[in-house]
Amino acid sequence: QVQLVESGGGLVQAGGSLRLSCEAFGRTSSMYDMGWFRQVPGKEREFVASISWRSGGSIDYQDSVKGRFTISRVNGKNNVTLQMDSLKPEDTAVYYCNAGRQGRYYEDLKGRNIWGQGTQVTVFS
């Protein structure tokens, strides 16, 4: 069984930066596409960014984070990092790492991918 462990959330002033990390533990003989979603109370979980397991493979971002967030991973490892710069109060959410297939829709991935427990990011103005 594979588990995802996230770290790096916290409290930051608008304009600041945070770095989220996620690593897979357990039976990780397979390579997974990995990514991040986020969720605020009362709203659906929304796509943030994803990265293919293949070296040079596809990277995808939600429009609102393009140019501010950078997703990356070490080749050959099931870990992923999300560097978040120029943070805005609207980025405040619980951020969830996931592993499996790339995709933008939570309804498509919630039963297919592996999900972490989430890490809180709070941006204050």
Side-chain angles (χ1 to χ4, degrees):
Q1 190 173 357
V2 176
Q3 290 185 319
L4 301 179
V5 177
E6 300 130 329
S7 60
L11 184 66
V12 66
Q13 192 169 18
S17 299
L18 282 174
R19 186 179 180 91
L20 304 183
S21 296
C22 173
E23 186 169 2
F25 291 92
R27 300 182 66 178
T28 59
S29 56
S30 299
M31 290 300 300
Y32 301 104
D33 296 334
M34 298 187 76
W36 296 89
F37 278 63
R38 64 187 180 188
Q39 189 170 22
V40 298
K43 291 192 175 183
E44 291 209 347
R45 197 169 294 190
E46 67 170 6
F47 169 75
V48 177
S50 68
I51 185 167
S52 169
W53 66 267
R54 294 175 176 82
S55 177
S58 66
I59 293 176
D60 191 18
Y61 295 99
Q62 184 201 108
D63 285 348
S64 70
V65 307
K66 280 182 182 176
R68 300 189 298 122
F69 291 10
T70 304
I71 191 170
S72 61
R73 68 186 298 167
V74 174
N75 287 339
K77 292 188 180 293
N78 284 316
N79 59 23
V80 65
T81 298
L82 186 68
Q83 177 67 40
M84 304 186 295
D85 298 318
S86 302
L87 281 161
K88 304 175 181 180
E90 50 263 45
D91 294 318
T92 295
V94 177
Y95 283 69
Y96 294 91
C97 176
N98 73 97
R101 298 183 182 183
Q102 280 186 291
R104 284 178 161 244
Y105 303 103
Y106 179 60
E107 285 299 311
D108 292 341
L109 300 181
K110 66 179 180 179
R112 293 185 173 187
N113 282 13
I114 304 161
W115 294 86
Q117 293 300 304
T119 184
Q120 177 70 47
V121 170
T122 303
V123 185
F124 63 93
S125 57

Coordinates of all heavy atoms in Angstrom, one line a residue, residues 4-90:
L4 N 1.0 8.8 0.8 CA 1.6 10.1 0.5 C 1.7 11.0 1.7 O 0.7 11.1 2.5 CB 0.8 10.9 -0.6 CG 0.5 10.1 -1.9 CD1 -0.3 11.0 -2.8 CD2 1.9 9.8 -2.5
V5 N 2.9 11.5 1.9 CA 3.1 12.4 3.1 C 3.5 13.8 2.6 O 4.5 13.9 1.9 CB 4.2 11.8 4.0 CG1 4.5 12.8 5.2 CG2 3.9 10.4 4.5
E6 N 2.7 14.8 3.0 CA 2.9 16.2 2.6 C 3.6 16.9 3.7 O 3.4 16.7 4.9 CB 1.6 16.8 2.2 CG 0.8 16.1 1.1 CD -0.6 15.9 1.5 OE1 -0.9 15.7 2.7 OE2 -1.5 15.9 0.6
S7 N 4.3 18.0 3.3 CA 4.9 18.9 4.3 C 5.0 20.3 3.7 O 5.0 20.4 2.4 CB 6.2 18.4 4.8 OG 7.1 18.3 3.7
G8 N 5.2 21.3 4.5 CA 5.6 22.6 4.0 C 4.5 23.6 4.1 O 4.7 24.8 3.7
G9 N 3.3 23.3 4.5 CA 2.2 24.3 4.6 C 2.5 25.3 5.7 O 3.5 25.1 6.5
G10 N 1.7 26.3 5.8 CA 1.9 27.3 6.9 C 1.2 28.6 6.6 O 0.3 28.7 5.8
L11 N 1.7 29.6 7.4 CA 1.1 30.9 7.3 C 2.1 31.9 6.7 O 3.2 31.9 7.1 CB 0.7 31.4 8.8 CG 0.0 32.7 9.0 CD1 -1.4 32.6 8.5 CD2 0.0 33.0 10.5
V12 N 1.6 32.7 5.7 CA 2.5 33.6 5.0 C 1.8 34.9 4.6 O 0.5 34.8 4.4 CB 3.2 32.9 3.8 CG1 2.1 32.6 2.8 CG2 4.3 33.7 3.2
Q13 N 2.5 36.0 4.6 CA 1.9 37.2 4.2 C 1.8 37.2 2.6 O 2.6 36.6 1.9 CB 2.7 38.4 4.6 CG 2.1 39.7 4.5 CD 2.8 40.8 5.2 OE1 4.0 40.7 5.5 NE2 2.2 41.9 5.4
A14 N 0.7 37.9 2.1 CA 0.6 38.1 0.7 C 1.8 38.6 0.0 O 2.5 39.5 0.6 CB -0.6 39.0 0.4
G15 N 2.2 38.0 -1.1 CA 3.4 38.3 -1.8 C 4.6 37.4 -1.4 O 5.6 37.4 -2.1
G16 N 4.4 36.6 -0.4 CA 5.4 35.7 0.1 C 5.4 34.4 -0.6 O 4.7 34.2 -1.6
S17 N 6.2 33.5 -0.1 CA 6.4 32.2 -0.8 C 6.3 31.0 0.2 O 6.6 31.2 1.4 CB 7.8 32.1 -1.4 OG 8.0 33.1 -2.4
L18 N 5.9 29.9 -0.3 CA 5.9 28.6 0.5 C 6.3 27.5 -0.5 O 6.0 27.6 -1.7 CB 4.5 28.3 1.1 CG 4.1 29.1 2.4 CD1 2.7 28.7 2.7 CD2 5.0 28.8 3.5
R19 N 6.8 26.5 0.1 CA 7.2 25.3 -0.7 C 6.6 24.1 -0.1 O 6.9 23.7 1.1 CB 8.7 25.2 -0.7 CG 9.3 24.1 -1.6 CD 10.8 24.2 -1.5 NE 11.5 23.2 -2.4 CZ 11.9 23.5 -3.6 NH1 11.7 24.7 -4.1 NH2 12.5 22.5 -4.3
L20 N 5.8 23.4 -0.9 CA 5.1 22.2 -0.4 C 5.9 21.0 -1.0 O 6.3 21.0 -2.2 CB 3.7 22.1 -0.9 CG 2.7 23.3 -0.5 CD1 1.3 23.0 -1.0 CD2 2.8 23.5 1.0
S21 N 6.0 19.9 -0.2 CA 6.6 18.7 -0.7 C 5.7 17.5 -0.4 O 4.9 17.5 0.5 CB 7.9 18.5 0.0 OG 8.9 19.5 -0.3
C22 N 5.8 16.5 -1.2 CA 5.0 15.3 -1.1 C 5.9 14.1 -1.5 O 6.5 14.1 -2.6 CB 3.8 15.4 -1.9 SG 2.8 13.9 -2.0
E23 N 5.9 13.1 -0.7 CA 6.7 11.9 -1.0 C 5.8 10.6 -0.8 O 5.0 10.6 0.2 CB 7.9 11.8 -0.1 CG 8.8 10.7 -0.5 CD 10.2 10.8 0.2 OE1 10.4 11.7 1.0 OE2 11.1 9.9 -0.1
A24 N 6.0 9.7 -1.7 CA 5.2 8.4 -1.6 C 6.1 7.4 -0.8 O 7.3 7.2 -1.0 CB 5.0 7.9 -3.0
F25 N 5.4 6.7 0.2 CA 6.0 5.7 1.0 C 5.2 4.4 0.8 O 4.0 4.4 0.6 CB 6.0 6.1 2.5 CG 6.9 7.2 2.8 CD1 6.5 8.5 2.7 CD2 8.3 7.0 3.0 CE1 7.3 9.6 3.0 CE2 9.1 8.1 3.3 CZ 8.6 9.3 3.3
G26 N 5.9 3.3 0.9 CA 5.3 2.0 0.8 C 5.7 1.3 -0.5 O 6.9 1.4 -0.9
R27 N 4.8 0.5 -1.1 CA 5.2 -0.3 -2.2 C 5.1 0.6 -3.5 O 4.2 0.7 -4.2 CB 4.2 -1.4 -2.4 CG 4.2 -2.4 -1.2 CD 3.3 -3.5 -1.3 NE 3.8 -4.4 -2.4 CZ 3.1 -5.5 -2.7 NH1 2.0 -5.9 -2.1 NH2 3.6 -6.3 -3.7
T28 N 6.3 1.3 -3.7 CA 6.3 2.3 -4.8 C 7.1 1.8 -5.9 O 7.9 2.6 -6.5 CB 6.9 3.6 -4.2 OG1 8.2 3.4 -3.7 CG2 6.0 4.2 -3.1
S29 N 7.0 0.6 -6.3 CA 7.7 0.1 -7.4 C 7.3 0.7 -8.8 O 8.0 0.7 -9.7 CB 7.6 -1.5 -7.5 OG 6.2 -1.8 -7.6
S30 N 6.0 1.2 -8.8 CA 5.5 1.8 -10.0 C 5.8 3.3 -9.9 O 5.9 3.9 -8.8 CB 4.0 1.6 -10.1 OG 3.7 0.2 -10.2
M31 N 5.9 3.9 -11.1 CA 6.1 5.4 -11.1 C 4.7 6.0 -11.4 O 3.9 5.5 -12.2 CB 7.0 5.8 -12.3 CG 8.5 5.4 -12.0 SD 9.1 6.2 -10.5 CE 8.9 7.9 -10.9
Y32 N 4.4 7.1 -10.7 CA 3.1 7.7 -10.8 C 3.2 9.2 -11.4 O 4.2 9.9 -11.0 CB 2.5 7.8 -9.4 CG 2.2 6.5 -8.8 CD1 3.1 6.1 -7.7 CD2 1.2 5.7 -9.1 CE1 2.9 4.9 -7.1 CE2 1.0 4.5 -8.5 CZ 1.9 4.1 -7.4 OH 1.6 2.9 -6.8
D33 N 2.2 9.6 -12.1 CA 2.1 11.0 -12.3 C 1.7 11.6 -11.0 O 1.0 10.9 -10.2 CB 0.9 11.3 -13.3 CG 1.2 10.7 -14.7 OD1 2.4 10.6 -15.1 OD2 0.2 10.5 -15.5
M34 N 2.1 12.8 -10.7 CA 1.7 13.4 -9.4 C 1.3 14.8 -9.6 O 1.5 15.5 -10.6 CB 3.0 13.3 -8.5 CG 3.4 11.9 -8.2 SD 4.7 11.8 -7.0 CE 3.8 12.1 -5.5
G35 N 0.6 15.3 -8.5 CA 0.1 16.7 -8.6 C -0.5 17.2 -7.4 O -0.4 16.5 -6.3
W36 N -1.1 18.3 -7.4 CA -1.7 19.0 -6.3 C -3.1 19.5 -6.6 O -3.3 20.1 -7.7 CB -0.9 20.2 -5.8 CG 0.5 19.8 -5.4 CD1 1.6 19.7 -6.1 CD2 0.8 19.5 -4.0 NE1 2.7 19.3 -5.3 CE2 2.2 19.2 -4.0 CE3 0.2 19.5 -2.8 CZ2 2.9 18.8 -2.8 CZ3 0.8 19.1 -1.6 CH2 2.2 18.8 -1.7
F37 N -4.0 19.3 -5.7 CA -5.3 20.0 -5.7 C -5.4 20.8 -4.4 O -4.6 20.6 -3.5 CB -6.5 18.9 -5.7 CG -6.8 18.4 -7.1 CD1 -5.8 17.6 -7.8 CD2 -8.0 18.6 -7.7 CE1 -6.1 17.1 -9.0 CE2 -8.3 18.0 -8.9 CZ -7.4 17.3 -9.6
R38 N -6.4 21.7 -4.4 CA -6.7 22.4 -3.1 C -8.2 22.6 -2.9 O -9.0 22.5 -3.8 CB -6.0 23.8 -3.2 CG -6.6 24.7 -4.3 CD -5.7 26.0 -4.3 NE -6.2 26.9 -5.4 CZ -5.6 28.0 -5.7 NH1 -4.4 28.4 -5.2 NH2 -6.1 28.8 -6.6
Q39 N -8.5 22.8 -1.6 CA -9.9 22.9 -1.3 C -10.1 23.9 -0.1 O -9.4 23.9 0.8 CB -10.4 21.5 -0.9 CG -11.9 21.4 -0.7 CD -12.4 20.0 -0.5 OE1 -11.6 19.1 -0.1 NE2 -13.7 19.7 -0.8
V40 N -11.2 24.7 -0.3 CA -11.6 25.6 0.8 C -13.0 25.1 1.3 O -13.7 24.4 0.5 CB -11.7 27.0 0.4 CG1 -10.3 27.5 0.0 CG2 -12.7 27.2 -0.8
P41 N -13.3 25.3 2.5 CA -14.6 24.9 3.0 C -15.8 25.3 2.2 O -15.9 26.4 1.8 CB -14.7 25.5 4.4 CG -13.3 25.7 4.8 CD -12.6 26.1 3.5
G42 N -16.7 24.3 1.9 CA -17.9 24.6 1.1 C -17.7 24.6 -0.4 O -18.6 24.8 -1.1
K43 N -16.5 24.4 -0.8 CA -16.2 24.3 -2.3 C -15.6 23.0 -2.7 O -15.1 22.3 -1.8 CB -15.3 25.5 -2.7 CG -15.9 26.8 -2.6 CD -15.0 27.9 -3.3 CE -15.6 29.2 -3.3 NZ -14.8 30.2 -4.0
E44 N -15.7 22.7 -4.0 CA -15.2 21.4 -4.5 C -13.6 21.5 -4.5 O -13.1 22.6 -4.6 CB -15.7 21.2 -5.9 CG -17.2 20.8 -5.9 CD -17.5 19.9 -7.0 OE1 -16.7 19.7 -7.9 OE2 -18.6 19.3 -7.0
R45 N -13.0 20.4 -4.4 CA -11.6 20.3 -4.5 C -11.2 20.7 -6.0 O -11.7 20.2 -6.9 CB -11.1 18.9 -4.2 CG -9.6 18.8 -3.9 CD -9.2 17.5 -3.3 NE -9.8 17.2 -2.0 CZ -9.5 16.2 -1.2 NH1 -8.6 15.3 -1.6 NH2 -10.1 16.1 -0.1
E46 N -10.2 21.6 -6.1 CA -9.9 22.1 -7.5 C -8.4 21.8 -7.8 O -7.5 21.8 -6.9 CB -10.1 23.6 -7.6 CG -9.2 24.5 -6.7 CD -9.4 26.0 -7.1 OE1 -10.3 26.3 -7.9 OE2 -8.6 26.8 -6.5
F47 N -8.2 21.6 -9.1 CA -6.9 21.3 -9.6 C -6.0 22.5 -9.5 O -6.4 23.7 -9.7 CB -7.0 21.0 -11.1 CG -5.8 20.9 -11.9 CD1 -4.9 19.8 -11.7 CD2 -5.4 21.9 -12.8 CE1 -3.7 19.7 -12.4 CE2 -4.2 21.8 -13.5 CZ -3.4 20.7 -13.3
V48 N -4.7 22.2 -9.1 CA -3.7 23.3 -9.1 C -2.6 23.0 -10.1 O -2.3 23.9 -10.9 CB -3.0 23.3 -7.7 CG1 -1.9 24.4 -7.6 CG2 -4.1 23.7 -6.6
A49 N -1.9 21.8 -10.0 CA -0.8 21.6 -11.0 C -0.6 20.1 -11.0 O -0.9 19.3 -10.0 CB 0.4 22.3 -10.5
S50 N 0.0 19.6 -12.1 CA 0.4 18.2 -12.2 C 1.6 18.0 -13.0 O 1.9 18.9 -13.9 CB -0.8 17.3 -12.7 OG -1.0 17.6 -14.1
I51 N 2.3 16.9 -12.9 CA 3.5 16.6 -13.6 C 3.5 15.1 -13.9 O 3.2 14.2 -13.1 CB 4.7 17.1 -12.8 CG1 6.0 16.9 -13.6 CG2 4.8 16.4 -11.5 CD1 7.2 17.6 -13.0
S52 N 3.9 14.8 -15.1 CA 4.1 13.4 -15.5 C 5.2 12.7 -14.9 O 6.2 13.4 -14.4 CB 4.2 13.3 -17.1 OG 4.6 12.1 -17.5
W53 N 5.2 11.4 -14.8 CA 6.3 10.6 -14.2 C 7.5 10.6 -15.2 O 8.6 10.3 -14.8 CB 5.9 9.2 -13.7 CG 5.5 8.3 -14.8 CD1 4.2 8.1 -15.3 CD2 6.4 7.5 -15.6 NE1 4.3 7.2 -16.3 CE2 5.5 6.8 -16.5 CE3 7.7 7.2 -15.7 CZ2 6.0 5.9 -17.5 CZ3 8.2 6.3 -16.6 CH2 7.4 5.6 -17.5
R54 N 7.2 10.7 -16.5 CA 8.2 10.6 -17.6 C 9.1 11.8 -17.6 O 8.6 13.0 -17.5 CB 7.5 10.5 -18.9 CG 6.7 9.2 -19.1 CD 6.0 9.2 -20.4 NE 5.3 7.9 -20.7 CZ 4.2 7.6 -20.2 NH1 3.5 8.5 -19.4 NH2 3.6 6.5 -20.5
S55 N 10.4 11.6 -17.7 CA 11.3 12.7 -17.8 C 11.0 13.5 -19.0 O 10.8 13.0 -20.1 CB 12.7 12.1 -18.0 OG 13.6 13.2 -18.1
G56 N 10.8 14.8 -18.9 CA 10.4 15.7 -19.9 C 8.9 15.6 -20.3 O 8.5 16.1 -21.3
G57 N 8.2 14.9 -19.5 CA 6.7 14.7 -19.7 C 5.9 16.0 -19.4 O 6.5 17.0 -19.1
S58 N 4.6 15.8 -19.5 CA 3.8 17.0 -19.5 C 3.7 17.6 -18.1 O 3.7 16.9 -17.1 CB 2.4 16.7 -20.0 OG 1.8 15.7 -19.1
I59 N 3.6 18.9 -18.0 CA 3.3 19.7 -16.8 C 2.1 20.6 -17.1 O 2.0 21.1 -18.2 CB 4.5 20.5 -16.4 CG1 5.7 19.7 -16.0 CG2 4.1 21.5 -15.3 CD1 7.0 20.4 -15.7
D60 N 1.2 20.6 -16.1 CA -0.1 21.4 -16.3 C -0.3 22.2 -15.1 O -0.1 21.8 -14.0 CB -1.2 20.4 -16.6 CG -2.5 21.0 -17.0 OD1 -2.4 22.2 -17.5 OD2 -3.6 20.4 -16.9
Y61 N -0.9 23.4 -15.3 CA -1.2 24.3 -14.2 C -2.6 24.9 -14.4 O -3.0 25.1 -15.6 CB -0.2 25.5 -14.2 CG 1.2 25.2 -13.9 CD1 2.1 25.1 -14.9 CD2 1.6 25.1 -12.6 CE1 3.5 24.8 -14.6 CE2 2.9 24.8 -12.3 CZ 3.8 24.7 -13.3 OH 5.2 24.4 -13.0
Q62 N -3.3 25.1 -13.3 CA -4.5 25.9 -13.4 C -4.1 27.4 -13.8 O -3.0 27.9 -13.4 CB -5.1 26.0 -12.0 CG -6.5 26.7 -12.0 CD -6.8 27.1 -10.5 OE1 -6.8 28.3 -10.2 NE2 -7.2 26.2 -9.7
D63 N -5.0 28.0 -14.6 CA -4.6 29.4 -15.1 C -4.3 30.3 -14.0 O -3.4 31.2 -14.1 CB -5.8 29.9 -15.9 CG -5.9 29.2 -17.3 OD1 -4.9 28.5 -17.6 OD2 -6.9 29.4 -17.9
S64 N -4.9 30.3 -12.8 CA -4.8 31.3 -11.8 C -3.4 31.2 -11.1 O -3.0 32.1 -10.4 CB -5.9 31.2 -10.8 OG -5.7 30.0 -10.0
V65 N -2.7 30.1 -11.3 CA -1.4 29.9 -10.6 C -0.2 30.0 -11.6 O 0.9 29.9 -11.2 CB -1.3 28.6 -9.8 CG1 -2.5 28.6 -8.8 CG2 -1.2 27.4 -10.6
K66 N -0.5 30.0 -12.9 CA 0.6 30.0 -13.9 C 1.4 31.2 -13.7 O 0.9 32.4 -13.5 CB 0.0 30.1 -15.3 CG -0.5 28.7 -15.8 CD -1.0 28.8 -17.3 CE -1.5 27.5 -17.8 NZ -2.1 27.6 -19.1
G67 N 2.7 31.0 -13.8 CA 3.7 32.1 -13.6 C 4.0 32.4 -12.1 O 5.0 33.1 -11.8
R68 N 3.3 31.8 -11.2 CA 3.5 32.0 -9.7 C 3.9 30.7 -9.1 O 4.7 30.7 -8.1 CB 2.2 32.5 -9.1 CG 1.8 33.9 -9.6 CD 0.7 34.5 -8.7 NE -0.5 33.6 -8.7 CZ -1.0 33.1 -7.6 NH1 -0.5 33.3 -6.4 NH2 -2.1 32.4 -7.6
F69 N 3.4 29.6 -9.5 CA 3.7 28.3 -8.9 C 4.5 27.5 -9.9 O 4.3 27.6 -11.1 CB 2.4 27.5 -8.6 CG 1.5 28.1 -7.5 CD1 1.7 29.3 -7.0 CD2 0.4 27.3 -7.0 CE1 0.9 29.8 -5.9 CE2 -0.4 27.8 -6.0 CZ -0.1 29.0 -5.5
T70 N 5.4 26.6 -9.3 CA 6.2 25.8 -10.1 C 6.2 24.4 -9.5 O 6.5 24.2 -8.3 CB 7.7 26.2 -10.2 OG1 7.7 27.6 -10.7 CG2 8.5 25.3 -11.1
I71 N 5.8 23.4 -10.3 CA 5.8 22.0 -9.9 C 7.0 21.3 -10.4 O 7.4 21.5 -11.6 CB 4.5 21.3 -10.3 CG1 4.3 19.9 -9.6 CG2 4.4 21.2 -11.8 CD1 3.0 19.3 -9.8
S72 N 7.6 20.4 -9.6 CA 8.8 19.7 -10.1 C 8.9 18.4 -9.3 O 8.2 18.2 -8.3 CB 10.1 20.6 -9.8 OG 10.2 20.8 -8.4
R73 N 9.7 17.5 -9.8 CA 10.0 16.3 -9.2 C 11.4 15.8 -9.6 O 12.0 16.3 -10.6 CB 9.0 15.2 -9.6 CG 9.0 14.8 -11.1 CD 7.9 13.9 -11.5 NE 7.9 12.7 -10.7 CZ 6.8 11.8 -10.7 NH1 5.7 12.1 -11.3 NH2 6.9 10.7 -10.0
V74 N 11.9 14.9 -8.8 CA 13.2 14.3 -9.1 C 12.9 13.1 -10.0 O 12.1 12.2 -9.7 CB 13.9 13.8 -7.8 CG1 15.2 13.1 -8.1 CG2 14.2 15.0 -6.9
N75 N 13.6 13.0 -11.1 CA 13.4 11.9 -12.0 C 13.6 10.5 -11.3 O 14.6 10.3 -10.6 CB 14.4 12.0 -13.2 CG 14.0 13.1 -14.2 OD1 12.8 13.5 -14.2 ND2 14.9 13.6 -14.9
G76 N 12.7 9.6 -11.6 CA 12.8 8.3 -11.0 C 12.3 8.1 -9.6 O 12.4 7.1 -9.0
K77 N 11.8 9.2 -9.1 CA 11.3 9.2 -7.7 C 9.8 9.6 -7.7 O 9.4 10.5 -8.4 CB 12.1 10.0 -6.8 CG 13.5 9.5 -6.6 CD 14.2 10.3 -5.5 CE 15.6 9.8 -5.3 NZ 15.6 8.4 -4.7
N78 N 9.1 9.0 -6.8 CA 7.7 9.4 -6.6 C 7.6 10.5 -5.5 O 7.1 10.2 -4.4 CB 6.8 8.2 -6.2 CG 6.5 7.3 -7.4 OD1 6.2 7.8 -8.5 ND2 6.6 6.0 -7.2
N79 N 8.2 11.6 -5.8 CA 8.0 12.8 -4.9 C 7.7 14.0 -5.8 O 8.0 14.0 -7.0 CB 9.2 13.0 -4.0 CG 10.5 13.2 -4.8 OD1 10.5 13.6 -5.9 ND2 11.6 12.9 -4.1
V80 N 7.1 15.0 -5.2 CA 6.8 16.2 -6.0 C 6.9 17.4 -5.1 O 6.6 17.3 -3.9 CB 5.4 16.0 -6.6 CG1 4.3 16.0 -5.5 CG2 5.1 17.2 -7.6
T81 N 7.3 18.5 -5.7 CA 7.4 19.8 -4.9 C 6.6 20.8 -5.6 O 6.5 20.9 -6.9 CB 8.9 20.2 -4.9 OG1 9.6 19.2 -4.2 CG2 9.0 21.5 -4.2
L82 N 5.9 21.7 -4.9 CA 5.2 22.8 -5.4 C 5.8 24.1 -4.8 O 5.6 24.3 -3.6 CB 3.7 22.7 -5.1 CG 2.8 23.7 -5.8 CD1 2.8 23.6 -7.3 CD2 1.4 23.7 -5.2
Q83 N 6.5 24.8 -5.6 CA 7.0 26.1 -5.2 C 6.0 27.2 -5.4 O 5.6 27.4 -6.6 CB 8.3 26.4 -5.9 CG 8.9 27.8 -5.6 CD 9.4 27.9 -4.1 OE1 10.0 27.0 -3.6 NE2 9.2 29.0 -3.5
M84 N 5.5 27.9 -4.4 CA 4.5 28.8 -4.5 C 5.0 30.2 -4.2 O 5.4 30.5 -3.1 CB 3.3 28.5 -3.6 CG 2.8 27.1 -3.8 SD 1.3 26.8 -2.8 CE 2.0 26.8 -1.2
D85 N 5.1 31.1 -5.2 CA 5.6 32.4 -5.1 C 4.4 33.4 -5.3 O 3.4 33.1 -5.9 CB 6.7 32.7 -6.0 CG 7.9 31.8 -5.8 OD1 8.3 31.6 -4.6 OD2 8.5 31.3 -6.8
S86 N 4.7 34.7 -4.9 CA 3.7 35.7 -5.1 C 2.3 35.3 -4.6 O 1.3 35.5 -5.3 CB 3.6 36.2 -6.5 OG 4.9 36.6 -7.0
L87 N 2.3 34.7 -3.4 CA 1.0 34.2 -2.9 C 0.0 35.3 -2.7 O 0.3 36.4 -2.3 CB 1.3 33.4 -1.6 CG 1.9 32.0 -1.9 CD1 2.5 31.4 -0.6 CD2 0.8 31.0 -2.3
K88 N -1.3 34.9 -2.9 CA -2.4 35.8 -2.7 C -3.4 35.2 -1.6 O -3.4 34.0 -1.4 CB -3.2 35.9 -4.0 CG -2.3 36.4 -5.2 CD -3.1 36.4 -6.4 CE -2.3 36.9 -7.6 NZ -3.1 36.9 -8.9
P89 N -4.1 36.0 -1.0 CA -5.1 35.5 0.0 C -6.0 34.4 -0.6 O -6.4 33.5 0.1 CB -5.9 36.7 0.4 CG -4.9 37.9 0.3 CD -4.1 37.5 -1.0
E90 N -6.4 34.6 -1.9 CA -7.2 33.6 -2.5 C -6.6 32.2 -2.7 O -7.2 31.3 -3.1 CB -7.8 34.1 -3.8 CG -6.8 34.6 -4.8 CD -6.7 36.2 -4.7 OE1 -6.6 36.7 -3.6 OE2 -6.6 36.8 -5.8

